[in-house]
């Protein structure tokens, strides 16, 4: 029973990790940010193998950031703020076209950051959905309003196809493992403002430094 209990995981815990990444002075801690993403990927993997091309890319980007954290310059990567400062001050970012730094922390994190906007929009739709709402429709609307604008046609096409494989709302709520639908809705209501804040703090930082279009 203990082993089974261990395997079960609740999306609540995942979203709580995002809570932990924001410090009082509004710095975003990279280790917790990455931990939040790991949890999301784990959740996505439990939805089936159609999503593996998406999780592969996410895992790849998570790993790049972890490598920075574990490198000898890791101390500069403790927060997103210090990472941006360090990479810009030392010219470690490709600003206009891809070239010398395909694995900069700044451009790698930007991809996850854009995906966080998708998550925000999707979770908000889930939260306000009704029994007959379609998860695939909510997912693709959220995608079209956010991430898709940064993806070429072929990726948009593949993503759109994967969305059809999403379980229906009832089953989706089950997999989230938070409780009955009312509890899911309440949990999302608690978690959303924090996710939005992490998103906004990062967005502002990137905007101030002209990093929102990094190649
Ligand atoms: C209760 C809901 C929880 C759901 C959790 C799901 C977590 C989703 C994690 C998605 C992470 C996607 C990261 C994508 C980063 C990206 O945009 N990469 C592209 C650009 O990278 P590059 O290095 O070339 O500049 C890259 O081309 C991406 C390829 C993979 C396809 C990305 C499709 C993204 C769809 C997002 C929606 C996920 C739907 C999951 C359903 C639950």
């Amino acid at each position: 029973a203990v082993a089974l209990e261990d395997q079960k995981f609740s999306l609540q815990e995942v979203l709580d990790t995002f809570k932990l990444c924001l410090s009082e002075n509004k710095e975003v801690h990279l280790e917790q940010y990455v931990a939040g993403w790991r949890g999301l990927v784990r959740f996505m993997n439990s939805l089936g193998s159609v999503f593996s091309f998406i999780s592969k890319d996410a895992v790849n980007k998570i790993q790049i950031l972890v490598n920075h954290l574990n490198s000898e310059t890791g101390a500069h990567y403790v927060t997103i703020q210090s990472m941006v400062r360090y990479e810009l001050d030392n010219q470690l970012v490709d600003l206009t076209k891809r070239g010398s730094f395909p694995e900069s922390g700044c451009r790698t994190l930007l991809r996850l950051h854009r995906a966080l906007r998708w998550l925000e929009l999707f979770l908000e739709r889930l939260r306000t959905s009704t029994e007959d709402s379609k998860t695939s429709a909510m997912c693709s609307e959220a995608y079209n309003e956010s991430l898709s604008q940064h993806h070429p046609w072929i990726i948009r096409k593949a993503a759109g196809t994967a969305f059809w494989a999403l379980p229906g709302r009832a089953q989706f709520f089950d997999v989230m493992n938070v409780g009955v639908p009312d509890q899911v809705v309440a949990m999302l209501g608690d978690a959303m403002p924090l996710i939005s804040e992490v998103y906004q703090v990062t967005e502002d930082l990137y905007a101030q430094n002209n990093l929102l279009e990094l190649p």
Side-chain angles (χ1 to χ4, degrees):
V2 174
L4 265 178
E5 212 64 84
D6 279 345
Q7 282 167 16
K8 267 191 164 183
F9 76 101
S10 158
L11 195 73
Q12 169 128 44
E13 292 161 35
V14 176
L15 298 181
D16 281 348
T17 325
F18 277 105
K19 221 186 272 185
L20 294 174
C21 76
L22 203 60
S23 68
E24 231 163 275
N25 56 348
K26 306 294 176 210
E27 290 195 310
V28 182
H29 285 255
L30 192 56
E31 195 177 331
Q32 283 76 16
Y33 188 88
V34 158
W37 276 107
R38 273 196 209 283
L40 288 174
V41 167
R42 218 168 125 218
F43 177 80
M44 186 167 55
N45 285 339
S46 74
L47 294 175
S49 55
V50 242
F51 301 100
S52 61
F53 81 103
I54 303 175
S55 64
K56 256 192 204 146
D57 187 71
V59 165
N60 180 30
K61 289 181 166 54
I62 290 167
Q63 192 57 50
I64 291 172
L65 294 172
V66 168
N67 290 347
H68 281 302
L69 269 171
N70 292 337
S71 74
E72 57 211 34
T73 56
H76 298 291
Y77 288 84
V78 170
T79 68
I80 297 184
Q81 284 81 359
S82 64
M83 172 188 84
V84 165
R85 203 50 310 123
Y86 169 71
E87 289 194 344
L88 288 181
D89 286 352
N90 293 281
Q91 282 130 46
L92 296 171
V93 188
D94 291 324
L95 295 173
T96 50
K97 64 172 181 4
R98 297 199 72 171
S100 316
F101 307 103
E103 302 203 331
S104 74
C106 286
R107 69 93 52 200
T108 303
L109 189 123
L110 176 61
R111 272 58 187 176
L112 294 178
H113 168 68
R114 289 168 174 167
L116 197 63
R117 176 66 181 153
W118 162 81
L119 184 72
E120 187 185 3
L121 294 170
F122 179 56
L123 293 181
E124 182 56 17
R125 279 182 164 78
L126 266 186
R127 189 180 75 80
T128 55
S129 64
T130 55
E131 250 170 84
D132 55 352
S133 302
K134 299 264 175 292
T135 44
S136 54
M138 294 187 265
C139 185
S140 64
E141 285 165 18
Y143 176 73
N144 290 339
E145 284 177 24
S146 58
L147 255 190
S148 82
Q149 291 154 24
H150 305 283
H151 287 163
W153 180 86
I154 185 81
I155 298 281
R156 292 204 302 266
K157 196 81 188 156
T161 307
F163 296 159
W164 285 109
L166 278 174
R169 181 177 178 270
Q171 199 193 331
F172 198 87
F173 277 16
D174 273 351
V175 183
M176 287 167 85
N177 197 24
V178 173
V180 297
D182 280 351
Q183 291 171 297
V184 176
V185 169
M187 185 279 283
L188 290 175
D190 286 344
M192 289 290 312
L194 288 146
I195 301 220
S196 304
E197 194 176 11
V198 170
Y199 177 83
Q200 203 52 52
V201 168
T202 310
E203 179 77 5
D204 292 346
L205 176 72
Y206 268 63
Q208 281 153 19
N209 290 282
N210 280 314
L211 300 176
L212 285 170
E213 301 298 330
L214 288 181

